[in-house]
Amino acid sequence: MMKIINIDKQKWAGGVESLSKSYRLFGPVKDVDCHNFKELKQGEQPDLSYGNTKLSPKSVVFPPSEAMFTYSLDESNPEHHILKDVPKDYSPRAVLGMRPCDAKAVSLVRMNFDTPEYRDPYWMDAYEATTFVGLACENPCASCFCTSTGCGPYNEEGLDVLLVDNGNAYIAKALTEKGEKLLASGGFTDAGDASAVDAKKAAAEAKITAKIETDKLSEKVIMDLYDAPFWHDVAFACINCCTCTYACPTCWCFDIQDENKGCEGVRMRNWDSCMTPLFTMHGSGHNPRDKKHQRVRQRFMHKLKYFVDKYQKGIMCVGCGRCVQQCPVNLDIRTVSKTMNDYVAKS
Amino acid sequence: MDAYITKIKAISERLLKDGTVEAVIGFREGTLPTMSEPCFIKRSDDVKDLVWNANCRINLANYLTNRKEKIAIVAKGCDSRNIVNHIIENKIKRDQLFIIGVPCKGMNDKDTGALQDNCATCTHRNPVIYDELAGDLVEEQTGVDKYADVKKVEAMTTDEKWAFFNNLYASCTRCYACRNACPLCYCPTCFVDESKPQWVGKGEDPIDVRTYHFLRAYHCAGRCTDCGSCEAACPQNIKVRQLTKKLEKDCAELFGWEAGLTLDKRPPLDTFSIDDPNDFIK
Ligand code: SF4
Ligand code: SF4
Ligand code: SF4
């Protein structure tokens, strides 16, 4: 039975204060001209009046740059050339006010980091330490198309709590035990009533008019799409930056780098991007994706075909619209998806 | 603008039909109200897709690097200057190109809709090199102070400068959109991507981030046309031109040089002259 709690907005700040005693808190805060998720400093409040953040909150469990090991190359050190784990803080943390699309993205990314064969310890330990508190969207941005990606402005997948802004109060739906625990620890105990939610949800969904067409993707033959003639035209404008992949909540690729200072070193992993030539450069110097259209094709084939076929859970995109808004040359995943969806190979 | 595009389409169609060029590089309509998309048109039937508006801010010279075919390119003032750079630096041959010059009145900032910063102080709105114009030449702006913001930084104390630059790049994710949108940045492997030796770390260390920015700016010295493509491309709205403009100003003051205006002179930093200023040697 899902618990519904009423959070009077007057009590929100105090509740956040209490939460900060048992959780490391992350929330949207305004940088210079946009919002981003940051770890909240003591006494800092998340700014829940934001539209959407420039970068997604994926960084809370998947930092852009993360130290994994340290090592010493100093042979007078008896432990030289031995990788040592970097101590990590996996004490409970909570993301406050993330958008439902970004939460769904976390569950998509989990499919990659938590499989029967492999468990990525860094991502999974951070994920398990986190309680995800969502904030339903009342005023989706013009470039949001979440309703056609199997998500939506009130979507609950991946969340532990969903907050719905109801004027003077938030209606809080505790969706998991973790969520209930967080609400209790914030001192949010007033019983609430979710009767207003359905109408608000329908109103928010109705505001989303942008769409992505994906219905025929799963029936296409992979090699037909791969060999389709449109990739050069699709890719022409692309400058192969990492804007789209860094902004995307569902992009999970990383690179491993060693950095030394003198004899002491750190092995870290950094976000990587399939859009750069370096991503696939082999040690031999051969690069299987050395052309721009090959890299662009990879990004869209992964999101819109390989992922679709592998997991049968739809596309690897939640429709947050970040890549559409931020791409410097307006390469739009919705246009590409339509091109792929409509494509019929000549027999 | 409407007159421009009619002319751009007519010229493009003619060139593709009579075989003067194999392709036209221009812009087509974007999917967002403030965006146009660079495109490569090969068939005269597709010429109808071309557009011209205040969102054609990305520098198209960027798409010419090392191309082999005969190409027509739509070029506003700054694009034409970068085409000059490209020809001087052997990235494209003049006789491969048919330049459709577009006298420009400035591009709009994609977020605010206001005139882009670099356009507000631009003094080369007219293409400096072209084969045919898409409209009458426009009056060049005079009396603008191109370097007001640079002078502000120059007047700062060392500590203030340190704080200013720390702050400037604080939100940089090193997506490299600024580098990749820049027609000058065509190195097959950029120094930041080298691994033998590795010049800069690839993580989020602010020293590495700034090393990237400072070195990239120096590689643009005497070449940057202040087209603003880098700044327009940056998803984090970082004012990356603050560095390149300082070097542009230095080149103007030390060498009386403005990049991309002529095919007949080597840029000051890739040639030696007995008159080069030596005052920096103390
Ligand atoms: S699609 Fe756009 S954002 Fe992505 S790499 Fe290409 S130019 Fe950059
Ligand atoms: S592909 Fe684009 S719209 Fe889809 S989730 Fe990623 S950033 Fe958002
Ligand atoms: S485009 Fe912006 S965020 Fe990307 S590397 Fe350049 S300054 Fe940094």
Side-chain angles (χ1 to χ4, degrees), chain A residues 33 54 65 233 236-237 239-242 246 257 259 324 327-330 332, chain B residues 28 30-32 35 37-38 63 173 175 177 180 198 201-203 235 237:
Chain A
D33 57 357
K54 178 78 54 99
S65 197
D233 182 59
F236 175 74
I239 56 173
N240 278 162
C241 57
C242 310
Y246 285 2
Q257 289 276 329
E259 276 183 18
V324 176
C327 172
V329 299
N330 194 218
D332 189 326
Chain B
R28 63 186 173 197
T31 60
L32 299 179
M35 293 299 285
E37 181 189 355
Y63 295 96
T173 60
C175 70
N180 294 10
Q198 179 149 340
K202 307 204 181 206
N237 300 342

PDB file of all heavy atoms in Angstrom, chain A residues 33 54 65 233 236-237 239-242 246 257 259 324 327-330 332, chain B residues 28 30-32 35 37-38 63 173 175 177 180 198 201-203 235 237:
ATOM      1  N   ASP A  33      23.499  31.017 -14.992  1.00  0.00           N
ATOM      2  CA  ASP A  33      22.265  31.260 -15.737  1.00  0.00           C
ATOM      3  C   ASP A  33      21.412  30.012 -15.921  1.00  0.00           C
ATOM      4  O   ASP A  33      20.490  29.996 -16.695  1.00  0.00           O
ATOM      5  CB  ASP A  33      22.584  31.894 -17.099  1.00  0.00           C
ATOM      6  CG  ASP A  33      23.532  31.016 -17.900  1.00  0.00           C
ATOM      7  OD1 ASP A  33      23.954  29.977 -17.375  1.00  0.00           O
ATOM      8  OD2 ASP A  33      23.841  31.371 -19.045  1.00  0.00           O
ATOM      9  N   LYS A  54      20.391  21.935 -16.723  1.00  0.00           N
ATOM     10  CA  LYS A  54      21.201  21.858 -17.945  1.00  0.00           C
ATOM     11  C   LYS A  54      21.764  20.447 -18.096  1.00  0.00           C
ATOM     12  O   LYS A  54      21.587  19.800 -19.095  1.00  0.00           O
ATOM     13  CB  LYS A  54      22.309  22.909 -17.833  1.00  0.00           C
ATOM     14  CG  LYS A  54      23.278  22.982 -18.951  1.00  0.00           C
ATOM     15  CD  LYS A  54      22.851  23.675 -20.222  1.00  0.00           C
ATOM     16  CE  LYS A  54      22.307  25.009 -20.387  1.00  0.00           C
ATOM     17  NZ  LYS A  54      22.999  26.140 -20.768  1.00  0.00           N
ATOM     18  N   SER A  65      33.917  12.494 -13.344  1.00  0.00           N
ATOM     19  CA  SER A  65      35.290  12.066 -13.144  1.00  0.00           C
ATOM     20  C   SER A  65      35.350  11.426 -11.759  1.00  0.00           C
ATOM     21  O   SER A  65      34.963  12.052 -10.779  1.00  0.00           O
ATOM     22  CB  SER A  65      36.168  13.319 -13.202  1.00  0.00           C
ATOM     23  OG  SER A  65      37.487  12.985 -13.406  1.00  0.00           O
ATOM     24  N   ASP A 233      23.738  12.422 -44.678  1.00  0.00           N
ATOM     25  CA  ASP A 233      22.953  13.644 -44.585  1.00  0.00           C
ATOM     26  C   ASP A 233      22.626  13.967 -43.122  1.00  0.00           C
ATOM     27  O   ASP A 233      22.751  15.104 -42.679  1.00  0.00           O
ATOM     28  CB  ASP A 233      21.655  13.494 -45.398  1.00  0.00           C
ATOM     29  CG  ASP A 233      20.830  14.767 -45.353  1.00  0.00           C
ATOM     30  OD1 ASP A 233      21.368  15.814 -45.773  1.00  0.00           O
ATOM     31  OD2 ASP A 233      19.675  14.717 -44.894  1.00  0.00           O
ATOM     32  N   PHE A 236      25.892  15.317 -41.408  1.00  0.00           N
ATOM     33  CA  PHE A 236      26.721  16.384 -41.966  1.00  0.00           C
ATOM     34  C   PHE A 236      27.011  17.511 -40.968  1.00  0.00           C
ATOM     35  O   PHE A 236      28.151  17.914 -40.752  1.00  0.00           O
ATOM     36  CB  PHE A 236      26.100  16.980 -43.242  1.00  0.00           C
ATOM     37  CG  PHE A 236      26.887  18.147 -43.741  1.00  0.00           C
ATOM     38  CD1 PHE A 236      28.103  17.955 -44.373  1.00  0.00           C
ATOM     39  CD2 PHE A 236      26.473  19.455 -43.490  1.00  0.00           C
ATOM     40  CE1 PHE A 236      28.877  19.024 -44.782  1.00  0.00           C
ATOM     41  CE2 PHE A 236      27.247  20.537 -43.892  1.00  0.00           C
ATOM     42  CZ  PHE A 236      28.451  20.317 -44.539  1.00  0.00           C
ATOM     43  N   ALA A 237      25.960  18.025 -40.338  1.00  0.00           N
ATOM     44  CA  ALA A 237      26.134  19.208 -39.489  1.00  0.00           C
ATOM     45  C   ALA A 237      26.899  18.907 -38.202  1.00  0.00           C
ATOM     46  O   ALA A 237      27.541  19.780 -37.628  1.00  0.00           O
ATOM     47  CB  ALA A 237      24.779  19.803 -39.134  1.00  0.00           C
ATOM     48  N   ILE A 239      29.259  18.318 -35.242  1.00  0.00           N
ATOM     49  CA  ILE A 239      30.664  18.681 -35.058  1.00  0.00           C
ATOM     50  C   ILE A 239      31.367  17.700 -34.112  1.00  0.00           C
ATOM     51  O   ILE A 239      32.496  17.940 -33.695  1.00  0.00           O
ATOM     52  CB  ILE A 239      30.818  20.131 -34.553  1.00  0.00           C
ATOM     53  CG1 ILE A 239      30.041  20.353 -33.257  1.00  0.00           C
ATOM     54  CG2 ILE A 239      30.361  21.130 -35.619  1.00  0.00           C
ATOM     55  CD1 ILE A 239      30.289  21.712 -32.603  1.00  0.00           C
ATOM     56  N   ASN A 240      30.670  16.622 -33.748  1.00  0.00           N
ATOM     57  CA  ASN A 240      31.277  15.602 -32.890  1.00  0.00           C
ATOM     58  C   ASN A 240      31.811  16.162 -31.575  1.00  0.00           C
ATOM     59  O   ASN A 240      32.947  15.888 -31.172  1.00  0.00           O
ATOM     60  CB  ASN A 240      32.395  14.864 -33.626  1.00  0.00           C
ATOM     61  CG  ASN A 240      31.871  13.754 -34.530  1.00  0.00           C
ATOM     62  OD1 ASN A 240      32.552  13.294 -35.412  1.00  0.00           O
ATOM     63  ND2 ASN A 240      30.637  13.306 -34.306  1.00  0.00           N
ATOM     64  N   CYS A 241      31.008  16.994 -30.947  1.00  0.00           N
ATOM     65  CA  CYS A 241      31.353  17.432 -29.596  1.00  0.00           C
ATOM     66  C   CYS A 241      30.749  16.398 -28.645  1.00  0.00           C
ATOM     67  O   CYS A 241      30.234  15.383 -29.077  1.00  0.00           O
ATOM     68  CB  CYS A 241      30.800  18.819 -29.321  1.00  0.00           C
ATOM     69  SG  CYS A 241      29.022  18.983 -29.513  1.00  0.00           S
ATOM     70  N   CYS A 242      30.808  16.628 -27.362  1.00  0.00           N
ATOM     71  CA  CYS A 242      30.204  15.672 -26.435  1.00  0.00           C
ATOM     72  C   CYS A 242      28.965  16.279 -25.787  1.00  0.00           C
ATOM     73  O   CYS A 242      28.497  15.794 -24.749  1.00  0.00           O
ATOM     74  CB  CYS A 242      31.194  15.273 -25.359  1.00  0.00           C
ATOM     75  SG  CYS A 242      32.789  14.774 -25.997  1.00  0.00           S
ATOM     76  N   TYR A 246      26.979  14.115 -22.950  1.00  0.00           N
ATOM     77  CA  TYR A 246      27.192  14.541 -21.567  1.00  0.00           C
ATOM     78  C   TYR A 246      25.874  15.007 -20.946  1.00  0.00           C
ATOM     79  O   TYR A 246      25.617  14.783 -19.764  1.00  0.00           O
ATOM     80  CB  TYR A 246      28.218  15.682 -21.487  1.00  0.00           C
ATOM     81  CG  TYR A 246      29.661  15.254 -21.687  1.00  0.00           C
ATOM     82  CD1 TYR A 246      29.990  13.935 -21.962  1.00  0.00           C
ATOM     83  CD2 TYR A 246      30.689  16.179 -21.579  1.00  0.00           C
ATOM     84  CE1 TYR A 246      31.311  13.554 -22.153  1.00  0.00           C
ATOM     85  CE2 TYR A 246      32.019  15.803 -21.760  1.00  0.00           C
ATOM     86  CZ  TYR A 246      32.323  14.490 -22.043  1.00  0.00           C
ATOM     87  OH  TYR A 246      33.628  14.115 -22.224  1.00  0.00           O
ATOM     88  N   GLN A 257      41.460   6.258 -17.191  1.00  0.00           N
ATOM     89  CA  GLN A 257      42.718   6.990 -17.374  1.00  0.00           C
ATOM     90  C   GLN A 257      43.575   6.873 -16.129  1.00  0.00           C
ATOM     91  O   GLN A 257      43.047   6.903 -15.017  1.00  0.00           O
ATOM     92  CB  GLN A 257      42.403   8.489 -17.561  1.00  0.00           C
ATOM     93  CG  GLN A 257      41.764   8.840 -18.869  1.00  0.00           C
ATOM     94  CD  GLN A 257      42.785   9.018 -19.970  1.00  0.00           C
ATOM     95  OE1 GLN A 257      43.913   9.425 -19.724  1.00  0.00           O
ATOM     96  NE2 GLN A 257      42.407   8.685 -21.185  1.00  0.00           N
ATOM     97  N   GLU A 259      46.516   8.856 -14.079  1.00  0.00           N
ATOM     98  CA  GLU A 259      47.206  10.137 -14.019  1.00  0.00           C
ATOM     99  C   GLU A 259      48.245  10.098 -12.920  1.00  0.00           C
ATOM    100  O   GLU A 259      47.927   9.804 -11.768  1.00  0.00           O
ATOM    101  CB  GLU A 259      46.203  11.276 -13.776  1.00  0.00           C
ATOM    102  CG  GLU A 259      45.583  11.732 -15.080  1.00  0.00           C
ATOM    103  CD  GLU A 259      44.647  12.902 -14.949  1.00  0.00           C
ATOM    104  OE1 GLU A 259      44.686  13.616 -13.918  1.00  0.00           O
ATOM    105  OE2 GLU A 259      43.866  13.100 -15.886  1.00  0.00           O
ATOM    106  N   VAL A 324      18.383  17.966 -27.761  1.00  0.00           N
ATOM    107  CA  VAL A 324      17.742  18.784 -28.792  1.00  0.00           C
ATOM    108  C   VAL A 324      18.016  20.262 -28.516  1.00  0.00           C
ATOM    109  O   VAL A 324      18.389  21.025 -29.400  1.00  0.00           O
ATOM    110  CB  VAL A 324      16.219  18.514 -28.810  1.00  0.00           C
ATOM    111  CG1 VAL A 324      15.529  19.425 -29.812  1.00  0.00           C
ATOM    112  CG2 VAL A 324      15.937  17.051 -29.107  1.00  0.00           C
ATOM    113  N   CYS A 327      22.300  20.909 -28.608  1.00  0.00           N
ATOM    114  CA  CYS A 327      23.162  20.633 -29.763  1.00  0.00           C
ATOM    115  C   CYS A 327      23.436  21.935 -30.512  1.00  0.00           C
ATOM    116  O   CYS A 327      22.519  22.628 -30.908  1.00  0.00           O
ATOM    117  CB  CYS A 327      22.495  19.629 -30.698  1.00  0.00           C
ATOM    118  SG  CYS A 327      23.398  19.442 -32.246  1.00  0.00           S
ATOM    119  N   PRO A 328      24.719  22.260 -30.712  1.00  0.00           N
ATOM    120  CA  PRO A 328      25.054  23.529 -31.361  1.00  0.00           C
ATOM    121  C   PRO A 328      24.592  23.610 -32.808  1.00  0.00           C
ATOM    122  O   PRO A 328      24.511  24.699 -33.356  1.00  0.00           O
ATOM    123  CB  PRO A 328      26.581  23.586 -31.301  1.00  0.00           C
ATOM    124  CG  PRO A 328      27.043  22.400 -30.566  1.00  0.00           C
ATOM    125  CD  PRO A 328      25.899  21.505 -30.270  1.00  0.00           C
ATOM    126  N   VAL A 329      24.324  22.476 -33.435  1.00  0.00           N
ATOM    127  CA  VAL A 329      23.962  22.515 -34.851  1.00  0.00           C
ATOM    128  C   VAL A 329      22.561  21.952 -35.104  1.00  0.00           C
ATOM    129  O   VAL A 329      22.181  21.702 -36.239  1.00  0.00           O
ATOM    130  CB  VAL A 329      24.991  21.755 -35.706  1.00  0.00           C
ATOM    131  CG1 VAL A 329      26.362  22.403 -35.573  1.00  0.00           C
ATOM    132  CG2 VAL A 329      25.070  20.289 -35.321  1.00  0.00           C
ATOM    133  N   ASN A 330      21.807  21.767 -34.018  1.00  0.00           N
ATOM    134  CA  ASN A 330      20.397  21.360 -34.145  1.00  0.00           C
ATOM    135  C   ASN A 330      20.199  19.977 -34.770  1.00  0.00           C
ATOM    136  O   ASN A 330      19.292  19.757 -35.553  1.00  0.00           O
ATOM    137  CB  ASN A 330      19.619  22.425 -34.943  1.00  0.00           C
ATOM    138  CG  ASN A 330      18.107  22.263 -34.831  1.00  0.00           C
ATOM    139  OD1 ASN A 330      17.393  22.463 -35.800  1.00  0.00           O
ATOM    140  ND2 ASN A 330      17.618  21.883 -33.670  1.00  0.00           N
ATOM    141  N   ASP A 332      18.614  16.746 -34.354  1.00  0.00           N
ATOM    142  CA  ASP A 332      17.472  16.481 -33.484  1.00  0.00           C
ATOM    143  C   ASP A 332      17.125  14.993 -33.499  1.00  0.00           C
ATOM    144  O   ASP A 332      16.790  14.435 -34.546  1.00  0.00           O
ATOM    145  CB  ASP A 332      16.299  17.330 -33.981  1.00  0.00           C
ATOM    146  CG  ASP A 332      15.108  17.321 -33.040  1.00  0.00           C
ATOM    147  OD1 ASP A 332      14.861  16.272 -32.401  1.00  0.00           O
ATOM    148  OD2 ASP A 332      14.422  18.348 -32.955  1.00  0.00           O
TER     149      ASP A 332
ATOM    150  N   ARG B  28      19.803  24.752 -43.474  1.00  0.00           N
ATOM    151  CA  ARG B  28      18.400  24.411 -43.682  1.00  0.00           C
ATOM    152  C   ARG B  28      17.626  24.690 -42.400  1.00  0.00           C
ATOM    153  O   ARG B  28      18.223  24.956 -41.345  1.00  0.00           O
ATOM    154  CB  ARG B  28      18.227  22.976 -44.150  1.00  0.00           C
ATOM    155  CG  ARG B  28      18.683  21.906 -43.176  1.00  0.00           C
ATOM    156  CD  ARG B  28      18.580  20.526 -43.826  1.00  0.00           C
ATOM    157  NE  ARG B  28      19.153  19.477 -42.991  1.00  0.00           N
ATOM    158  CZ  ARG B  28      19.488  18.273 -43.450  1.00  0.00           C
ATOM    159  NH1 ARG B  28      19.323  17.961 -44.720  1.00  0.00           N
ATOM    160  NH2 ARG B  28      19.992  17.364 -42.629  1.00  0.00           N
ATOM    161  N   GLY B  30      15.761  24.688 -38.981  1.00  0.00           N
ATOM    162  CA  GLY B  30      15.962  23.903 -37.779  1.00  0.00           C
ATOM    163  C   GLY B  30      14.646  23.406 -37.210  1.00  0.00           C
ATOM    164  O   GLY B  30      13.575  23.709 -37.733  1.00  0.00           O
ATOM    165  N   THR B  31      14.739  22.632 -36.126  1.00  0.00           N
ATOM    166  CA  THR B  31      13.526  22.124 -35.495  1.00  0.00           C
ATOM    167  C   THR B  31      13.142  22.966 -34.280  1.00  0.00           C
ATOM    168  O   THR B  31      12.120  22.727 -33.658  1.00  0.00           O
ATOM    169  CB  THR B  31      13.712  20.670 -35.017  1.00  0.00           C
ATOM    170  OG1 THR B  31      14.782  20.651 -34.061  1.00  0.00           O
ATOM    171  CG2 THR B  31      14.057  19.749 -36.172  1.00  0.00           C
ATOM    172  N   LEU B  32      13.994  23.905 -33.913  1.00  0.00           N
ATOM    173  CA  LEU B  32      13.676  24.809 -32.810  1.00  0.00           C
ATOM    174  C   LEU B  32      13.579  26.215 -33.395  1.00  0.00           C
ATOM    175  O   LEU B  32      14.257  26.516 -34.384  1.00  0.00           O
ATOM    176  CB  LEU B  32      14.789  24.796 -31.754  1.00  0.00           C
ATOM    177  CG  LEU B  32      15.093  23.466 -31.054  1.00  0.00           C
ATOM    178  CD1 LEU B  32      16.241  23.642 -30.062  1.00  0.00           C
ATOM    179  CD2 LEU B  32      13.862  22.935 -30.336  1.00  0.00           C
ATOM    180  N   MET B  35      17.019  27.962 -34.137  1.00  0.00           N
ATOM    181  CA  MET B  35      18.128  27.196 -34.699  1.00  0.00           C
ATOM    182  C   MET B  35      17.960  26.972 -36.201  1.00  0.00           C
ATOM    183  O   MET B  35      16.855  26.754 -36.685  1.00  0.00           O
ATOM    184  CB  MET B  35      18.212  25.818 -34.022  1.00  0.00           C
ATOM    185  CG  MET B  35      18.599  25.819 -32.559  1.00  0.00           C
ATOM    186  SD  MET B  35      20.209  26.519 -32.193  1.00  0.00           S
ATOM    187  CE  MET B  35      21.301  25.209 -32.767  1.00  0.00           C
ATOM    188  N   GLU B  37      20.149  24.567 -39.265  1.00  0.00           N
ATOM    189  CA  GLU B  37      21.093  23.443 -39.286  1.00  0.00           C
ATOM    190  C   GLU B  37      21.993  23.511 -40.524  1.00  0.00           C
ATOM    191  O   GLU B  37      21.488  23.589 -41.646  1.00  0.00           O
ATOM    192  CB  GLU B  37      20.291  22.120 -39.302  1.00  0.00           C
ATOM    193  CG  GLU B  37      21.175  20.883 -39.298  1.00  0.00           C
ATOM    194  CD  GLU B  37      20.399  19.571 -39.545  1.00  0.00           C
ATOM    195  OE1 GLU B  37      19.158  19.589 -39.634  1.00  0.00           O
ATOM    196  OE2 GLU B  37      21.072  18.530 -39.666  1.00  0.00           O
ATOM    197  N   PRO B  38      23.303  23.461 -40.359  1.00  0.00           N
ATOM    198  CA  PRO B  38      24.191  23.410 -41.511  1.00  0.00           C
ATOM    199  C   PRO B  38      23.838  22.198 -42.378  1.00  0.00           C
ATOM    200  O   PRO B  38      23.500  21.132 -41.853  1.00  0.00           O
ATOM    201  CB  PRO B  38      25.582  23.246 -40.879  1.00  0.00           C
ATOM    202  CG  PRO B  38      25.442  23.854 -39.525  1.00  0.00           C
ATOM    203  CD  PRO B  38      24.042  23.511 -39.090  1.00  0.00           C
ATOM    204  N   TYR B  63      33.238  23.408 -42.263  1.00  0.00           N
ATOM    205  CA  TYR B  63      32.850  22.206 -43.003  1.00  0.00           C
ATOM    206  C   TYR B  63      33.642  22.037 -44.303  1.00  0.00           C
ATOM    207  O   TYR B  63      33.373  21.132 -45.077  1.00  0.00           O
ATOM    208  CB  TYR B  63      31.342  22.235 -43.299  1.00  0.00           C
ATOM    209  CG  TYR B  63      30.505  22.174 -42.041  1.00  0.00           C
ATOM    210  CD1 TYR B  63      30.008  23.331 -41.444  1.00  0.00           C
ATOM    211  CD2 TYR B  63      30.230  20.958 -41.427  1.00  0.00           C
ATOM    212  CE1 TYR B  63      29.254  23.281 -40.284  1.00  0.00           C
ATOM    213  CE2 TYR B  63      29.476  20.890 -40.267  1.00  0.00           C
ATOM    214  CZ  TYR B  63      28.988  22.051 -39.692  1.00  0.00           C
ATOM    215  OH  TYR B  63      28.245  21.994 -38.544  1.00  0.00           O
ATOM    216  N   THR B 173      32.412  21.607 -19.115  1.00  0.00           N
ATOM    217  CA  THR B 173      32.396  20.143 -19.023  1.00  0.00           C
ATOM    218  C   THR B 173      33.432  19.526 -19.966  1.00  0.00           C
ATOM    219  O   THR B 173      33.515  18.320 -20.097  1.00  0.00           O
ATOM    220  CB  THR B 173      31.027  19.587 -19.454  1.00  0.00           C
ATOM    221  OG1 THR B 173      30.793  19.990 -20.809  1.00  0.00           O
ATOM    222  CG2 THR B 173      29.900  20.112 -18.590  1.00  0.00           C
ATOM    223  N   CYS B 175      33.249  19.501 -23.158  1.00  0.00           N
ATOM    224  CA  CYS B 175      32.557  18.812 -24.245  1.00  0.00           C
ATOM    225  C   CYS B 175      33.248  19.092 -25.561  1.00  0.00           C
ATOM    226  O   CYS B 175      33.028  18.401 -26.547  1.00  0.00           O
ATOM    227  CB  CYS B 175      31.105  19.274 -24.312  1.00  0.00           C
ATOM    228  SG  CYS B 175      30.931  20.975 -24.879  1.00  0.00           S
ATOM    229  N   ALA B 177      32.721  21.466 -27.610  1.00  0.00           N
ATOM    230  CA  ALA B 177      31.893  22.066 -28.669  1.00  0.00           C
ATOM    231  C   ALA B 177      32.564  23.335 -29.190  1.00  0.00           C
ATOM    232  O   ALA B 177      32.528  23.625 -30.387  1.00  0.00           O
ATOM    233  CB  ALA B 177      30.493  22.378 -28.150  1.00  0.00           C
ATOM    234  N   ASN B 180      35.317  22.280 -31.514  1.00  0.00           N
ATOM    235  CA  ASN B 180      34.844  21.607 -32.726  1.00  0.00           C
ATOM    236  C   ASN B 180      34.013  22.515 -33.620  1.00  0.00           C
ATOM    237  O   ASN B 180      33.868  22.240 -34.806  1.00  0.00           O
ATOM    238  CB  ASN B 180      34.048  20.357 -32.352  1.00  0.00           C
ATOM    239  CG  ASN B 180      34.922  19.306 -31.681  1.00  0.00           C
ATOM    240  OD1 ASN B 180      36.073  19.574 -31.324  1.00  0.00           O
ATOM    241  ND2 ASN B 180      34.393  18.116 -31.518  1.00  0.00           N
ATOM    242  N   GLN B 198      51.005  12.629 -22.924  1.00  0.00           N
ATOM    243  CA  GLN B 198      49.732  13.221 -22.539  1.00  0.00           C
ATOM    244  C   GLN B 198      49.997  14.601 -21.939  1.00  0.00           C
ATOM    245  O   GLN B 198      50.575  14.715 -20.877  1.00  0.00           O
ATOM    246  CB  GLN B 198      49.029  12.314 -21.535  1.00  0.00           C
ATOM    247  CG  GLN B 198      47.706  12.895 -21.095  1.00  0.00           C
ATOM    248  CD  GLN B 198      46.678  11.829 -20.748  1.00  0.00           C
ATOM    249  OE1 GLN B 198      46.789  10.684 -21.156  1.00  0.00           O
ATOM    250  NE2 GLN B 198      45.691  12.213 -19.997  1.00  0.00           N
ATOM    251  N   GLY B 201      45.563  16.323 -18.380  1.00  0.00           N
ATOM    252  CA  GLY B 201      44.710  15.288 -17.814  1.00  0.00           C
ATOM    253  C   GLY B 201      43.315  15.414 -18.411  1.00  0.00           C
ATOM    254  O   GLY B 201      42.933  16.457 -18.921  1.00  0.00           O
ATOM    255  N   LYS B 202      42.566  14.328 -18.329  1.00  0.00           N
ATOM    256  CA  LYS B 202      41.263  14.324 -18.995  1.00  0.00           C
ATOM    257  C   LYS B 202      40.104  14.431 -18.025  1.00  0.00           C
ATOM    258  O   LYS B 202      38.956  14.358 -18.427  1.00  0.00           O
ATOM    259  CB  LYS B 202      41.117  13.058 -19.821  1.00  0.00           C
ATOM    260  CG  LYS B 202      42.304  12.938 -20.744  1.00  0.00           C
ATOM    261  CD  LYS B 202      42.038  12.105 -21.942  1.00  0.00           C
ATOM    262  CE  LYS B 202      43.314  12.065 -22.746  1.00  0.00           C
ATOM    263  NZ  LYS B 202      43.140  11.842 -24.128  1.00  0.00           N
ATOM    264  N   GLY B 203      40.410  14.552 -16.748  1.00  0.00           N
ATOM    265  CA  GLY B 203      39.340  14.623 -15.760  1.00  0.00           C
ATOM    266  C   GLY B 203      38.846  16.049 -15.587  1.00  0.00           C
ATOM    267  O   GLY B 203      38.963  16.875 -16.487  1.00  0.00           O
ATOM    268  N   PRO B 235      27.339  24.822 -24.804  1.00  0.00           N
ATOM    269  CA  PRO B 235      26.071  24.555 -24.133  1.00  0.00           C
ATOM    270  C   PRO B 235      26.007  25.180 -22.740  1.00  0.00           C
ATOM    271  O   PRO B 235      24.933  25.292 -22.167  1.00  0.00           O
ATOM    272  CB  PRO B 235      26.030  23.033 -24.060  1.00  0.00           C
ATOM    273  CG  PRO B 235      27.455  22.602 -24.097  1.00  0.00           C
ATOM    274  CD  PRO B 235      28.165  23.607 -24.949  1.00  0.00           C
ATOM    275  N   ASN B 237      27.069  28.223 -22.036  1.00  0.00           N
ATOM    276  CA  ASN B 237      27.102  29.688 -22.185  1.00  0.00           C
ATOM    277  C   ASN B 237      28.362  30.323 -21.605  1.00  0.00           C
ATOM    278  O   ASN B 237      28.302  31.381 -20.983  1.00  0.00           O
ATOM    279  CB  ASN B 237      25.877  30.342 -21.535  1.00  0.00           C
ATOM    280  CG  ASN B 237      24.588  29.850 -22.152  1.00  0.00           C
ATOM    281  OD1 ASN B 237      24.599  29.298 -23.249  1.00  0.00           O
ATOM    282  ND2 ASN B 237      23.483  30.024 -21.461  1.00  0.00           N
TER     283      ASN B 237
END
